Structures are given as structure tokens and as C-alpha cells.
Amino acid sequence: ADVVANGQFVIQVGAYADANKAKEIKAKLEGVGLTAFTQNVKSGGVSLIRVRVGPYADRKSTRLNSSHT
């Protein structure tokens, strides 16, 4: 789990170059009741779309919620 700026935690599910794949994964996560979001980033000169779930108040909550996938 990564810590975001406000001290809460998020789980990165994946990073995709294909925007449609990122949207598909995000929709599947939301379909099982998780709060999912995307973030555009560059890594090694390549544009990627991160798919993440959260935020969660603490690391323990990330483990409990990661059992959904």
C-alpha cells in the first residue's frame, strides 16, 4: 500500500499503457464495491494509467479490502 498526501493509504492494482484496459479494470473493481480511481503518470518516458483503490485510513484496512479482488 502507498501512502497518499493526506496520510491515507491506497493500493495500486496495476499500471496500463492501454486506456481501455485501465477503464475495464477500474469498472471491475467498482463492480465488487471498491472505490477505484485512475492516475496518469510517466515512467521511463512511457505514459501509463495507474489503477488504484482507496483511500483507506490505515494499512490494516488495505489488507482487509484487498481480499475483494
Side-chain angles (χ1 to χ4, degrees):
D2 294 329
V3 179
V4 292
N6 59 4
Q8 294 184 319
F9 293 85
V10 296
I11 299 170
Q12 182 166 317
V13 178
Y16 305 92
D18 181 345
N20 290 325
K21 183 65 175 179
K23 287 178 188 176
E24 175 188 337
I25 298 299
K26 180 180 178 278
K28 285 182 179 182
L29 293 165
E30 291 172 335
V32 297
L34 295 171
T35 301
F37 64 96
T38 58
Q39 180 183 37
N40 295 319
V41 296
K42 280 210 178 234
S43 178
V46 177
S47 293
L48 297 172
I49 303 156
R50 289 179 178 162
V51 179
R52 294 179 161 192
V53 294
Y56 302 104
D58 54 45
R59 191 174 296 274
K60 181 179 179 184
S61 296
T62 65
R63 287 191 297 274
L64 296 173
N65 284 289
S66 65
S67 65
H68 281 198
T69 55

